[in-house]
Amino acid sequence: MSFQAPKGTFDWLPPRSEWALLVRDALSAPARRAGYGYIETPAFEDTALFSRGVGESTDIVTKEMYTFESRGGQSLTLRPEGTASVVRAVIEHGLYGGALPIKLWYSGSYFRYERAQAGRYRHFSQVGAEALGAEDPALDAELIVLAADGYASLGLKNVRLLLNSLGCKECRPAYRAALQDFLRGLDLDETTRQRIEINPLRVLDDKRPEVRAQLVGAPLVTDHLCGACKAYHEEVRGLLGAAGVAYTDDPRLVRGLDYYTRTTFEFVHDGLGAQSAVGGGGRYDGLSEMIGGPPLPSVGWALGVDRTVLAMEAEGLITERAGHVDVFAIPLGEEARRRIFPLVSELRRAGLAVDMAFGGRGVKGAMKAADRSGARYALILGERDLEAGAVQVKDLTTADQTAVPLAEVVEVLKGKLS
Ligand code: ATP
Ligand code: MG
């Protein structure tokens, strides 16, 4: 019997896996530079945290959660997203009692039982950032700029930012009612009709063409914003413009999670087909109270690592190998192996990336391995070199080869590679 990775999951293998690491780093680096601290929460939580925090009527809660009973009889769920866990941790540890806003970033695996397809997986990876406990348009703008800078630092050119405001508890009810009136007049299936009554904004997020076609004349949230929400949104837009971040107003943009208020945004990439969202987020002023915490107006985002790698592939940015060594060591014979092994360790301790030939293959196989490793230099140690107390340093780009005394090789290579 043989095994395969479960449906909707895949393995990251070298050299492509290097890009996943690189993307994770690049997407989190701007937040780290802006004072966001690292938080790590468990991969599973109390099921009720998500059903209350993410929203009972969302796709995530109704059909996408991996829920199981622990041996102790408690209902637990593999995290489908990061925000609810972060807010839970902030409440649990009373972090809101200190300086506000609390700025946190995280990264890890998320789990959703979705219809598996290109760019949509059941196990995927996100980088997230949240700023909790402040209502300030500069904070919304800061997070958006940090995400945009992360994508730009990867060389991505075709990431577009869509921006909207979903209003607040003052103006949302009137908009909700107007939208419900409109939606009730459409030709929709039973499930969608139920959704009109529970969470009509979610219907705007329906991806089916036959539904989209009917939504053309739907009332727009931006026409129903109260004065405070309008002013807040104008301020966010102005700050984004001032920071040189381009955006498109999208009055139809809603998000798949129930907790959003005011600012909402999505980053999309046009080279990814239907799974075009590479990241998204927004303000969630009511979430903390929904899960039993104090009022804590907050804003955050989650960026998809897997889809960002796909976007880079679509733009041809992944051409060379990302991970490689500087030096590849080739011992010819057992005595040479005994001598070169400590040298390899020493080179690594000196900060160089070094690999060596294993398995005692001949010089031809070892030279092939050296080429594949991406190394700039090969270190070849043969019997004659051993007698001379030297090692051959071969530049693999020019094929130039020189003998260097063993005692000097660390310094010589450090010099060549600096
Ligand atoms: P979509 O509209 O594509 O379903 P979403 O609104 O459910 O996305 P979020 O919950 O906002 O996505 O998650 C943030 C980001 O995480 C998305 O923009 C996307 O890049 C990534 N993401 C979400 N679900 C998946 C998945 N099943 N597989 C891969 N990446 C995902
Ligand atoms: Mg989704």
Side-chain angles (χ1 to χ4, degrees):
M1 142 158 225
S2 67
F3 294 101
Q4 290 174 335
K7 186 172 175 194
T9 72
F10 66 94
D11 301 305
W12 281 103
L13 303 173
R16 191 172 180 264
S17 53
E18 291 293 334
W19 292 95
L21 287 178
L22 195 139
V23 161
R24 209 181 272 269
D25 263 5
L27 294 181
S28 56
R32 274 143 55 204
R33 281 197 297 269
Y36 288 70
Y38 179 64
I39 182 169
E40 202 170 304
T41 63
F44 53 85
E45 298 268 0
D46 226 313
T47 300
L49 172 68
F50 299 120
S51 44
R52 245 186 277 158
V54 176
E56 298 279 4
S57 74
T58 60
D59 281 353
I60 291 181
V61 172
T62 54
K63 53 186 190 203
E64 294 176 2
M65 295 207 303
Y66 281 92
T67 297
F68 60 98
E69 195 177 297
S70 75
R71 287 174 194 271
Q74 191 190 0
S75 179
L76 298 172
T77 293
L78 298 183
R79 59 182 180 194
E81 58 102 50
T83 307
S85 305
V86 169
V87 177
R88 192 265 308 137
V90 165
I91 299 169
E92 180 176 340
H93 302 287
L95 300 185
Y96 52 84
L100 298 177
I102 307 147
K103 292 179 166 190
L104 299 166
W105 78 273
Y106 53 89
S107 152
S109 290
Y110 296 85
F111 310 86
R112 296 183 193 176
Y113 192 79
E114 304 219 49
R115 206 161 67 77
Q117 49 198 298
R120 189 173 295 285
Y121 312 111
R122 292 179 175 176
H123 168 253
F124 58 97
S125 179
Q126 290 182 338
V127 171
E130 318 282 349
L132 303 101
E135 196 183 87
D136 183 336
L139 201 53
D140 305 43
E142 167 174 290
L143 275 159
I144 294 174
V145 171
L146 294 175
D149 287 354
Y151 292 123
S153 75
L154 289 166
L156 285 163
K157 299 261 180 307
N158 303 327
V159 175
R160 289 186 296 124
L161 166 60
L162 307 177
L163 184 68
N164 196 17
S165 170
L166 292 181
C168 63
K169 53 179 189 293
E170 300 304 320
C171 51
R172 184 93 69 85
Y175 171 65
R176 190 175 185 272
L179 182 62
Q180 279 176 323
D181 271 352
F182 172 85
L183 294 173
R184 287 188 191 116
L186 303 183
D187 177 23
L188 299 166
D189 60 277
E190 193 43 43
T191 319
T192 313
R193 292 203 151 277
Q194 281 167 13
R195 187 171 281 167
I196 297 173
E197 305 312 317
I198 309 166
N199 190 345
L201 267 76
R202 293 268 309 113
V203 181
L204 295 179
D205 199 26
D206 204 306
K207 305 227 161 53
R208 292 170 295 177
E210 66 274 22
V211 177
R212 299 214 75 91
Q214 295 189 72
L215 294 173
V216 173
L220 300 176
V221 63
T222 32
D223 294 333
H224 290 75
L225 294 180
C226 62
C229 282
K230 227 181 249 169
Y232 194 95
H233 196 51
E234 275 317 305
E235 197 61 33
V236 173
R237 295 172 79 240
L239 291 167
L240 289 179
V245 170
Y247 59 87
T248 309
D249 289 307
D250 181 355
R252 284 164 197 287
L253 177 71
V254 291
R255 313 263 316 126
L257 294 77
D258 274 357
Y259 50 58
Y260 287 107
T261 50
R262 289 196 168 165
T263 313
T264 45
F265 52 90
E266 197 155 85
F267 290 91
V268 294
H269 192 278
D270 297 322
L272 298 183
Q275 273 55 252
S276 61
V278 288
R283 181 158 277 283
Y284 49 92
D285 291 340
L287 177 57
S288 172
E289 286 153 292
M290 278 160 71
I291 59 173
L296 212 55
S298 307
V299 54
W301 47 240
L303 314 180
V305 172
D306 313 75
R307 285 189 200 169
T308 302
V309 174
L310 292 174
M312 292 181 71
E313 281 168 338
E315 289 196 25
L317 292 168
I318 296 186
T319 45
E320 300 164 49
R321 70 185 80 223
H324 60 82
V325 295
D326 303 317
V327 178
F328 195 89
I330 300 172
L332 302 176
E334 289 193 25
E335 190 46 39
R337 184 183 59 204
R338 280 181 213 118
R339 186 60 196 87
I340 216 164
F341 185 84
L343 179 60
V344 164
S345 303
E346 207 184 326
L347 285 165
R348 289 174 181 157
R349 287 178 194 134
L352 305 187
V354 188
D355 197 1
M356 66 178 271
F358 292 101
R361 283 169 303 168
V363 69
K364 234 175 114 192
M367 284 310 293
K368 248 192 215 155
D371 277 335
R372 265 200 307 270
S373 77
R376 173 79 198 274
Y377 296 100
L379 277 189
I380 305 158
L381 189 62
E383 259 168 54
R384 233 174 293 151
D385 301 313
L386 274 173
E387 279 165 27
V391 62
Q392 302 294 322
V393 175
K394 182 170 182 179
D395 184 327
L396 292 171
T397 50
T398 61
D400 285 346
Q401 188 168 318
T402 44
V404 174
L406 278 166
E408 290 168 25
V409 74
V410 175
E411 281 317 306
V412 167
L413 281 171
K414 267 171 74 178
K416 282 180 184 293
L417 287 160
S418 64

